[in-house]
Structures are given as structure tokens and as C-alpha cells.
Amino acid sequence: KGLIAALVVAEGLGVLLACGLGGLVVERLVALRLGLPARPIVEGSARFRPLVPAALLLFAAAAAALALSWSTLRLVDLRPVVAVGLALVVALLARAPLRRVPAALGLVSPLGALGLALWLGRSEPPRKAAFALGALATPIVSLVRAATDLDHDGFSALLGGGDCNDRDAAIHPGAPDWPDDGIDQDCSGADASVRLPASPPPAPLPPSVPRGPNVLLVTIDTLRADHVGAYGYARPTSPALDRLAAEGALFEQGFAHAPSTRYSMPAILVGRHPTEVRWGSRCPYTGGCWDPWPPPLSQENVTLAERLKAIGYRTAALLNYRFFEPQGGYAQGFDLYDNENSALHRADPQKGDPVSYGSSSRQQADKAIAFLETHAAERFFLWVHFYDVHWVYERHPEVPSFGEGDLDLYDGEIRYTDLHVGRVLDRLRELGLFDRTVIAVTGDHGEGFGEHGVRFHGYHLYGPQTRVPYLVRIPGLPPVRVPEPVGHVDLVATILHAVGAPHDPTLPGRSLVPLMTGTREPARAVFQEVLYEGPVTRLAMVAEGHHLIWNQTPDATFELYDLAADPGETRDVAAAPAEAARKERLGRALGAFWDRQSWGDDFQTRIAPRVSASEPPVGVRLGDRLGEVATLVGVTAPARTRPGELVPIEWVFRAGDRSRGDYRVFVHVEGPGVLVHGDHDPLDGRLATSRWPAGRFVRDAHLVRIPASARGTLSVYVGLFRGDERVPPSGPHADQGRVLATTLDVAP
């Protein structure tokens, strides 16, 4: 919040300065063009002398604020500010030479530059270079796209805007692509499809694997793979993890599906990609509503703990961060759920998240060891999370120091965490449980140290932010290094396979046991996504030894990295002719994945049956318009009911051309002494209004409970709203910002 306030103030001062200097520049240019004598830029300087001290104080305050906020401001792209400042300085210094510039050239030059930019902007490499190197590229491109958006759907066909039909407002990159209708509404190059065959059950376990083993899942926050010794790191950061890697399976290309805890951890716990996870929030990716933040998990999810508890496991979670408070939904299925050690990590009240001070690795290991000692005779599933590797990095005298820089301290945090993870593994051995326990260790995401100009994590899908250590030891299987790409969703499928739990064909992950036993199987791919942190949508996939990143919005560009030749992802080969076929092939696969994800795995059962091209029957026809969002076709409800009953009401809407936002349905049932609110998300939250296909009919059903005290005739009103905004209705039944839809007679 402090940074937001500072930037708003700075922008306000910048606007005032720009207007003042701009006015002086215009005055000078007009004088030169008319041949008037040049005057000093500041005339009558004596009048301005009283302002000099104030200006100096303002400059000193700005410099002090800059110094105090530099740790945060260095993450902000300040090049546009610098570029505008330099342009103003150059304009102020311009004098007589401007007289020699012909007026025609002054007019033609900008038009010629614009034409050249539009011509070059058809190709992706110049656009990527402009975004990477041009200080004002992003605002200029945004302005040109807005000016050339012919159908006013928010997308242009120029400069990578991606609109494949700029004459139809229902077709653009942000449009919902209705599955299997033969129309490519989102300009992905193919019609969306949700037809995905169920995964086959895995092969039987080798007889060497003990039946019904324990399960230990260790997650380490912010741990990138290439800072672990087993992955080739030169510093001795991870002796305990290196020993475990030598005894089990090390997956060389292990990836998180998202670069932040709040989305990668649900993928680990539920076994589904972030967009497949059920969220207890109407806006899980933006935080743009009054729902809890970070978004809680919905009780509809089936967690790994619930699956193992159902077959007799004692389940426990030992956690240590505020994201894991019980109201966050992670506690489902755990007999013991302990997040007390989150109190050992304190946020900076001035900086907020993700700044966190304090340490808890020792305490986490102590609790894990106590659990193992208490429940050694039971079959257990224990999940332990270690958080210390997360910024702010701190020194620990118990382990060797690698230096004082950020990266040095980061490595020291890894060594300290490894020390205490090693204590847990050693106690597992001492108790005789090591050869009866499936052990999985992974990082929830990585961390950036300036690669691609990125610090920390949360915004990007490059390897430093998403490639994580991925170690699995299943007793009875030999040590192995696996080169195939694997993702976090594979962990649940693997653990269920290893313990003999029932196979769930709807899980997107595949068991890793075949890879650990050398069994040949179809090629694997890992998909990744970023749908938050501002107007950003990034998708990625790892397959065929390459990492394809699709900067969907706002850049509309692709990046491709050869992980074998360039594991650090330093050379983008997306424009290389030799990679053209691969880029197209992976791009199609990534687009198909995104189409499936955007509709969810319940599309055929919970969405498609309630949307139709033909008008369904209704009890009462209405025909009132709700702005541009929809037309309220009619309503079906019982004419009579009794006090205390649940009344089924079904609304039928016809979607408009487009909805620029997601609206809720409000339902008010009113009568003498009665006011019932039936506000809800359309289709039980499964189909937001922004995704209603234009011109189709949408059936929205829900239940309203009539109060026990209700008697007589009740009026039922309906409308659409978002926050404090109501969609204005128009039509014969419109009544003070809502529609009088029907009446209910209530009698005992």
C-alpha cells in the first residue's frame, strides 16, 4: 500500500511537471515557427526565486523516498519515466535548428515511423525486442492497438493484438471458445475441445515394493533445482537431499505448474492443475473482490489426505505459514493439522507480503520427529512444509556461510533447511521406518536472481521460477535418474499407485512408477500457468526437451528454450527456422490444454446441459433487457408454496454480444414483513457472465427458502449486479433497477 501511495504521488508530480515543461516547449516551438525572437524559457527569474527552496526540499524528499523504497522500486520498470524525462530535456534544449526542419518533414516523419512500426510489428521477433529494450514500447503498442480495434472488443489485429476477426466482437483472444462447436472464438488456431480420454489404470507394482507403506511428503518453499547438489550445484547446500537422491529417483526435469505457493501447493495436495482446482472464491486469480485472499480451497476438492484417510491412513500436516490457516481449505482430510509455527514468521508491516522474517526449520523438524516417534506403529501420511528458504534470507550460525550477498544467503537458507530435513530422514531410519515409507521431496516453486531481469517469483514461468527439485523414493525400487519432464500433479497419482489406493481416471497426473522402473511409455508434457498479478496471462509447457512459454497477454509472444543445449534458458530459439515445426506443434498442444482448462472437467455434466442454441420452455415469459449483458427471457417457478419451503426457481437468459465483466444474479423475494436474498453466481459459479456464448440461452437454477412467517403474495425480483453496480434493465417489467419477474402465493 505504501508503494502504491508513493507511485500515485510521484505520477501526480510527474504530470504537473510534464504539463509545465510541455507548455514551455510548445511556446518555444510556436515562436520559432512564426519567426518571433527567442525568449528565455524562464522569464522574470526573480519572481520564481521564492519557489527555489520549495523545489529543493521537494527534490530532497523525493530522493529520500527513492532511497528508502529502492529495494522495491528496483523491481519496477522505470525506463518509461527516464525516457520521458530525457525527451523533455532534449525538447527544452532544442533551439534554432528546429527552424531548418521543413514542416512537411515534421508531419511525414511520425507517419513514416508509424508505418514502419506496423510493418515490422507483424513479426514476433521485432515485437519481443521492442518490449525488452524499448522504454515506451508497451504504452505505444497499447495505444495503437486501442486505436485500431475496429469491433471494440478490446483486441486489435495489429502489433500482435491477436484478433483473428476484427469485424466480430464475439471473436478475439479473450473470448470464451465454446467447446466443439466448430468456431475458433478465442483465435487460438483451433476450436476448443473438452474431449479427453480417461487415464488408464497403472500397471501392477513390482513385488519388491512393500504393501501399504507409510508416506512422507516434504515441501520446501522457494527451492529451485539448480541450487541443489544432486542437480549439479557446486556449493554444498544439500547433503541430506543429495543422499536421498542417491537412494531413490531424481527427476531431472521436475516443474511446478505455477510460480507461487498459493497456486502450486493446491496442485501438489489435490493433484490437479491450478485452473482445475475448485476454489472457494469467485475471483481466485485476481483478488478483485471482497472474497478472502489468498483464495481458499473449496470443500469440493478431494485432497491426497482424504484419499489416504479413506483407506486407513493416519494423516497429519505440519505447516508454518499464514496461507495454511485452516480456513484456507488445506485441512481437508487431516487428523492432525498444525500451523502453529506460522507465528515464527513475521511479515514487515510496511512492505507486507512476500517479505517474511524469522525461522522455523528446527521447530518443524522437532514436530515431525515427535510425530514419527508417536505413530511409528501406524500407517501414516505426514506432510511437512519448510519455509525458511523464502525471502528475506537470513544467516544461521549452525551451517557454513557462503557469503553476504542475496544469493549467498539464499544458499545458506537451503543448507539450514537441509540440515533439519536430514534430521527427519535420519530419525526415520533410526526408527526402522525408512524402508517402509514412500518419501517425496519437492520445492513448491523456484526463485529468480536477475535471470531475464526477474527477481523473486510469482509473475513468470522461466526455469528459475518453476524448475524445482523432485525426489521420490519408493522402497523396493532401485535408484535412478529420470530425464523425462514431470509435474506436481503427478505426485498424487504416484503416491496413490505406490500405496495401492484406488485409481482415479479423472486425475490429470500420471504415476511416476513406470519411469522409476524403466518402463517405456508415451511422451510426457508438463503444463504451467500464470493468471494473476495484474493484467498478465502466461502459459507454458515442457515437452520434447524444450520449454515453450506463451506470453498470452499483454505481449502475445512466444519464447522457446532448448533445455538440453541451454538449461539456463538464456537463448530464445522461437524464431529459429529449425524450430518452426516444433514451436507450431507445441503451441497447438498448449492451446488445446488451455481450452480444456478454461472450461473445467465438469463441462459436459454441469455446463453444457444448461446452455442451448434454441429457446427452452419457460413458465412466465418476460423479455426484459439487462444492458448489453443479456435478455431475461423468462422464469419458471411454482405459483404456490408453503412457509419454510425451499422454492426451485429457474431463470432463462439469452446472452448478449459481450459482457465486459462478471456479474452475479440478485434475487429478492419481498412481501409484507418479508425480504429474502437469493443472490448467487450463475450456474453455481460454473459459467461467469463474461463466458456466456453470444446469442445462446442459459438456464440458471437455484433454491430460495421461504421464511416460516411468510403469508400472502410475495413478489420475486431479479437482476444482475457487480459490487455496487447494477445492470440497468429495460422492458415492460423493469422496476427501479430490477425486473419484477413473478409472484408466489404463500399459504400454510
Side-chain angles (χ1 to χ4, degrees), residues 549-687:
I549 300 175
W550 180 12
N551 301 303
Q552 193 179 59
T553 56
D555 297 352
T557 59
F558 284 89
E559 301 172 54
L560 183 65
Y561 299 96
D562 184 340
L563 297 179
D566 179 26
E569 299 184 3
T570 61
R571 297 185 300 277
D572 178 9
V573 297
E579 298 290 353
R582 189 194 312 275
K583 176 188 170 186
E584 182 179 357
R585 183 168 59 250
L586 297 183
R588 286 198 303 268
L590 184 56
F593 163 80
W594 176 239
D595 285 337
R596 290 193 303 271
Q597 298 304 99
S598 62
W599 291 109
D601 56 3
D602 60 356
F603 175 84
Q604 298 288 7
T605 58
R606 302 184 70 170
I607 298 178
R610 298 162 73 175
V611 179
S612 61
S614 57
E615 181 179 324
V618 295
V620 178
R621 288 192 59 83
L622 297 170
D624 295 79
R625 286 183 59 85
L626 298 171
E628 293 186 345
V629 181
T631 297
L632 180 59
V633 177
V635 59
T636 300
R640 295 179 177 81
T641 187
R642 291 185 295 182
E645 280 193 339
L646 279 172
V647 177
I649 303 178
E650 181 177 274
W651 311 97
V652 175
F653 299 93
R654 186 171 189 180
D657 290 338
R658 62 182 180 273
S659 171
R660 291 299 178 87
D662 291 334
Y663 295 89
R664 303 189 77 202
V665 181
F666 78 76
V667 178
H668 294 175
V669 181
E670 300 178 8
V674 173
L675 175 58
V676 179
H677 291 272
D679 302 349
H680 63 281
D681 296 308
L683 276 71
D684 306 319
R686 291 295 185 267
L687 189 65

Side-chain angles (χ1 to χ4, degrees), residues 46-83:
R47 290 180 294 170
F48 294 95
R49 284 173 189 161
L51 298 178
V52 173
L56 291 175
L57 286 174
L58 180 62
F59 177 80
L66 181 67
L68 292 173
S69 304
W70 183 246
S71 62
T72 304
L73 286 173
R74 66 178 180 174
L75 305 177
V76 180
D77 186 1
L78 298 175
R79 293 176 304 166
V81 178
V82 175

Side-chain angles (χ1 to χ4, degrees), residues 620-622 632 634-635 651 715-718 733 739-743:
V620 178
R621 288 192 59 83
L622 297 170
L632 180 59
V635 59
W651 311 97
S715 300
V716 181
Y717 297 91
V718 68
H733 308 94
V739 174
L740 175 58
T742 189
T743 58

Side-chain angles (χ1 to χ4, degrees), residues 95 129 135 539 619 664 714:
R95 291 177 180 272
L539 305 169
R664 303 189 77 202
L714 303 181

Side-chain angles (χ1 to χ4, degrees), residues 122-276:
R122 298 180 303 167
S123 177
E124 187 174 286
R127 291 203 310 274
K128 286 199 288 192
F131 286 126
L133 304 175
L136 297 174
T138 298
I140 291 174
V141 168
S142 300
L143 181 63
V144 173
R145 287 177 181 172
T148 57
D149 177 14
L150 302 182
D151 54 11
H152 306 292
D153 57 11
F155 295 85
S156 169
L158 300 178
L159 294 180
D163 196 338
C164 55
N165 187 344
D166 215 3
R167 298 175 302 280
D168 188 337
I171 297 178
H172 54 79
D177 192 356
W178 194 256
D180 304 305
D181 66 350
I183 304 173
D184 177 23
Q185 285 99 341
D186 67 351
C187 298
S188 66
D191 181 26
S193 178
V194 294
R195 297 168 183 163
L196 186 67
S199 62
L205 286 169
S208 59
V209 177
R211 296 301 178 255
N214 304 311
V215 178
L216 172 62
L217 172 63
V218 175
T219 53
I220 303 175
D221 214 293
T222 324
L223 180 57
R224 53 189 278 178
D226 59 359
H227 279 244
V228 173
Y231 284 84
Y233 197 49
R235 284 177 168 175
T237 55
S238 53
L241 293 183
D242 298 346
R243 180 183 176 187
L244 179 66
E247 296 172 313
L250 180 148
F251 293 89
E252 297 174 348
Q253 300 294 336
F255 284 88
H257 302 289
S260 68
T261 301
R262 60 181 175 269
Y263 297 111
S264 63
M265 200 59 76
I268 294 173
L269 191 62
V270 177
R272 300 186 184 278
H273 297 94
T275 42
E276 294 173 313

